[in-house]
Amino acid sequence: ILNVEQSPQSLHVQEGDSTNFTCSFPSSNFYALHWYRWETAKSPEALFVMTLNGDEKKKGRISATLNTKEGYSYLYIKGSQPEDSATYLCAFSSTGNMLTFGGGTRLMVKP
Amino acid sequence: EAQVTQNPRYLITVTGKKLTVTCSQNMNHEYMSWYRQDPGLGLRQIYYSMNVEVTDKGDVPEGYKVSRKEKRNFPLILESPSPNQTSLYFCASSLGVTNEKLFFGSGTQLSVL
């Protein structure tokens, strides 16, 4: 079973703060890295899928970077809003047919 | 509307009573998979399917069966449920293999007494 770790486990920020979290994964045999946003009582929704070293993706105030050689991806949220409160999941694939999820980072944004 | 439909949302059953959780997608996706979510453990893959009649084990397949007789459907079968299978289950699908984003169903909260 592959080791995919996310840090921190939880994070409390004030509205307007910018924040970032980390996803670490094995640096060998990289295929794809996913980020999902999971709100309480809902289903996970895809934010980004990255496949190339150096990939940078952006969606509104959320962006992500990827370093496959060192085995990490960062997710950034600029100017956090209360509606950004959710658990953010990353998922790693080394083979192209299975995804291994990290434990998630739970973000809480206080108004 | 493009979606993954998963039923039921909630299910309480007793040990040993066979059950099936259904999953259907209307996006003509090749890839489908099942996950379970347990506190502190993240989403763990149970089974996946790359195409019709092609299924394979994920990280935690023990106690589960799946089938993929049609492209749109991927049911999860618990032949003899046990209390350690109490969990939140998600079905998901995607266009291709894991370089395409997953679309998740609404989840099934299963309790085995």
Side-chain angles (χ1 to χ4, degrees):
Chain A
I1 295 179
L2 297 169
N3 193 26
V4 180
E5 294 188 354
Q6 291 188 247
S7 62
Q9 281 191 320
S10 66
L11 193 55
H12 294 251
V13 301
Q14 288 293 135
E15 183 175 354
D17 287 350
S18 293
T19 187
N20 65 84
F21 352 113
T22 305
C23 174
S24 300
F25 51 85
S27 56
S28 56
N29 297 325
F30 177 85
Y31 191 83
L33 192 285
H34 296 212
W35 281 100
Y36 293 85
R37 170 191 158 88
W38 187 7
E39 291 182 72
T40 303
K42 294 186 177 180
S43 304
E45 290 186 352
L47 288 171
F48 308 114
V49 177
M50 294 185 284
T51 58
L52 296 174
N53 184 43
D55 255 356
E56 292 188 20
K57 301 270 186 175
K58 188 174 180 182
K59 186 176 183 178
R61 294 178 291 98
I62 305 177
S63 60
T65 61
L66 177 66
N67 184 326
T68 62
K69 296 188 186 309
E70 295 183 41
Y72 65 84
S73 175
Y74 293 140
L75 189 79
Y76 300 92
I77 302 179
K78 186 177 177 182
S80 302
Q81 299 297 308
E83 57 265 31
D84 295 329
S85 297
T87 296
Y88 292 84
L89 301 169
C90 72
F92 166 75
S93 177
S94 65
T95 60
N97 53 15
M98 274 188 62
L99 271 177
T100 300
F101 281 82
T105 293
R106 188 177 175 208
L107 174 67
M108 285 152 281
V109 183
K110 299 177 194 172
Chain B
E1 182 190 351
Q3 60 185 358
V4 178
T5 303
Q6 189 179 334
N7 283 298
R9 286 294 302 271
Y10 303 95
L11 181 57
I12 301 174
T13 189
V14 295
T15 299
K17 187 176 181 182
K18 181 179 177 180
L19 66 91
T20 299
V21 184
T22 62
C23 176
S24 180
Q25 49 91 7
N26 62 0
M27 295 170 278
N28 202 35
H29 283 173
E30 304 266 327
Y31 184 86
M32 297 186 75
S33 59
W34 277 101
Y35 300 87
R36 61 178 286 175
Q37 162 68 31
D38 301 293
L41 293 177
L43 282 168
R44 293 182 293 167
Q45 193 163 25
I46 304 170
Y47 268 94
Y48 63 93
S49 169
M50 307 277 277
N51 211 329
V52 175
E53 301 292 2
V54 180
T55 63
D56 216 336
K57 296 177 181 178
D59 290 325
V60 288
E62 295 78 20
Y64 304 95
K65 284 175 60 177
V66 292
S67 68
R68 189 92 182 272
K69 295 177 183 172
E70 306 163 282
K71 198 171 188 179
R72 62 183 293 123
N73 296 323
F74 190 46
L76 179 70
I77 303 155
L78 284 72
E79 294 269 3
S80 182
S82 62
N84 64 12
Q85 293 179 297
T86 293
S87 187
L88 176 61
Y89 291 86
F90 283 103
C91 176
S93 71
S94 68
L95 263 175
V97 290
T98 56
N99 59 343
E100 299 281 352
K101 65 180 179 180
L102 286 173
F103 291 81
F104 283 85
S106 52
T108 296
Q109 181 63 59
L110 171 65
S111 295
V112 184
L113 305 176

